Amino acid sequence: MNLSLRCLILFAACAVSPIAFAESGENTYKQVCAACHNAAVLNAPKFGDKAKWAPLIAEGQVTLTAHAYVGVRAMPPKGGNPNLSIEGFSDAVAYMANKAGGNWKSPDAKMLVAINKEIEARKAGLNQKK
Ligand code: HEC
């Protein structure tokens, strides 16, 4: 088998496996979120702090992901990375939630629709308050 074909097959396997989800969430976390969430910078809910994360996890995956994506107080929109997709962001949120007692999965297409709807609702709400 030539190398490029092998890469293609590996990539396809990774794209659908749960390991890939864990890796992509972990990578995004390390690259974008850890700067604040690793050491509770600006009072960010600390990585692995179950007491801090329990009420957030209780909000539900759709609500929490959408609100964090739009930005909450000192939490910048998209974690401060304007290039971060909602899929990438969601996986990073799920990764953090799972490391603090949650059991969230990479959102499926249906959940992504719900998250996007909540993002629009949140934005509309924020604009009304201004
Ligand atoms: C510049 C620092 C910073 C970065 C970078 C950052 N966060 Fe945050 N994050 C915060 C702070 C501060 C809060 C607490 C906001 C509050 O409740 O006042 C927060 C809160 C959150 C919350 C809880 C939101 C809520 O509704 O209470 C989630 C989820 C979250 N961050 C996810 C992420 C993810 C995922 C990334 C990376 C893609 C990220 N954050 C990157 C600072 C940051």
Side-chain angles (χ1 to χ4, degrees):
M1 192 187 303
N2 72 34
L3 190 62
S4 62
L5 186 60
R6 199 179 304 160
C7 290
L8 200 68
I9 290 169
L10 273 178
F11 178 76
C14 289
V16 295
S17 81
I19 296 165
F21 148 61
E23 278 177 1
S24 87
E26 184 175 358
N27 286 340
T28 304
Y29 171 75
K30 284 180 179 157
Q31 283 160 20
V32 186
C33 325
C36 294
H37 285 270
N38 229 18
V41 174
L42 304 169
N43 213 20
K46 197 177 171 196
F47 185 78
D49 184 335
K50 288 189 180 170
K52 280 266 160 85
W53 277 91
L56 299 175
I57 291 168
E59 282 184 30
Q61 188 169 1
V62 169
T63 305
L64 187 70
T65 303
H67 292 183
Y69 194 72
V70 173
V72 184
R73 291 174 289 268
M75 162 74 197
K78 304 184 185 185
N81 181 343
N83 296 323
L84 194 55
S85 69
I86 183 62
E87 289 89 349
F89 186 86
S90 300
D91 283 357
V93 174
Y95 173 73
M96 276 204 273
N98 291 349
K99 289 293 178 180
N103 184 21
W104 288 359
K105 295 183 175 56
S106 193
D108 58 13
K110 207 176 139 200
M111 188 185 278
L112 281 172
V113 170
I115 290 172
N116 278 313
K117 243 176 134 178
E118 182 60 29
I119 287 171
E120 291 313 313
R122 181 76 169 185
K123 280 185 184 162
L126 288 178
N127 290 341
Q128 277 161 22
K129 269 187 221 152
K130 266 185 203 161

